[in-house]
Amino acid sequence: MAWLSSATGPMTTHFWGPVANWGLSLSAIYDANTKGPEIINERMSATQVIYSGLFVRFAWCVQPRNYILFGCHTANVAAQGNQLRRWGDHKLKTEPDTAPAQLQSLSYLGGGAAAVLAASLIARKPLMSAFSNMGGPFAAVAAMPAGPFYIHFWAPNFKWALSINNILDYNRPTENISLSMTSAMTLTGTIFMRWSFVITPVNYSLFFVNLVLSTSSGYHLARKIKADYF
């Protein structure tokens, strides 16, 4: 019973926010078992692999440490990776002439993102030390617990990539929109707006990115519902 009133129990947003995030991995698993590969948005799935990888680290560092969030993002890395595999197989079978170029383009995108992340990790400590030694506003930036030298900054801000994908797909054919995925993204964006104010440190960038995510995902969700049911 103590768990019910604990810091990460079901009476808190620390529980419901991460639970809502399970919708991302569960929707990918659901789509993989019930839907054809033609609805897979390869750009969004690739983005979610990187996004969830960052949030695995974020969930471990945030206070209170959130094992539900850690677990759901670990599962999402695997689920979205499987969706990318299905997309690649589908393209190679149905578009053998153009599929290699599409796969290469996506691999370049992923490789570039990985290179930027690796370079950031290598440069983090030297840059942080340099900023601290400069004093004034630079030292203040280096000391910010949710500043650019910590995962509390990078994980939430990388979430902008999900919203950017939604905006780029503003006119995506509704038959190629996943109802389960857009529902999950709308829900998690809405709940995480609240969660951003109850974690330590309070994360305003997390609030704004989830505001845009819930709005852009809600737009596609409304389009899908209208096309399928009205």
Side-chain angles (χ1 to χ4, degrees), residues 6-20 62-69 191-192 194-200:
S6 68
T8 56
M11 304 301 290
T12 69
T13 315
H14 298 297
F15 176 85
W16 291 108
V19 164
V62 75
Q63 295 298 319
R65 182 170 290 167
N66 203 303
Y67 298 103
I68 302 174
L69 189 66
I191 294 179
F192 265 73
R194 168 60 182 162
W195 194 64
S196 62
F197 288 109
V198 297
I199 57 174
T200 302

Side-chain angles (χ1 to χ4, degrees), residues 8 21 51 61 69 94 112 114 123-125 143 157 160 174 178 183 196 200 203 220 224:
T8 56
N21 253 16
Y51 151 75
C61 293
L69 189 66
T94 59
R124 174 180 174 266
K125 287 188 176 180
N157 277 289
W160 282 106
T174 54
S178 167
S183 298
S196 62
T200 302
N203 202 309
H220 286 294
K224 180 66 173 177

Side-chain angles (χ1 to χ4, degrees), residues 49-100:
V49 169
I50 301 172
Y51 151 75
S52 283
L54 289 171
F55 260 90
V56 167
R57 176 62 177 165
F58 179 91
W60 190 259
C61 293
V62 75
Q63 295 298 319
R65 182 170 290 167
N66 203 303
Y67 298 103
I68 302 174
L69 189 66
F70 180 91
C72 76
H73 280 293
T74 300
N76 197 41
V77 170
Q80 298 299 337
N82 180 55
Q83 288 292 77
L84 286 173
R85 178 195 62 79
R86 294 179 66 226
W87 172 81
D89 287 345
H90 173 68
K91 288 294 181 180
L92 288 170
K93 291 175 182 177
T94 59
E95 302 174 25
D97 294 333
T98 60

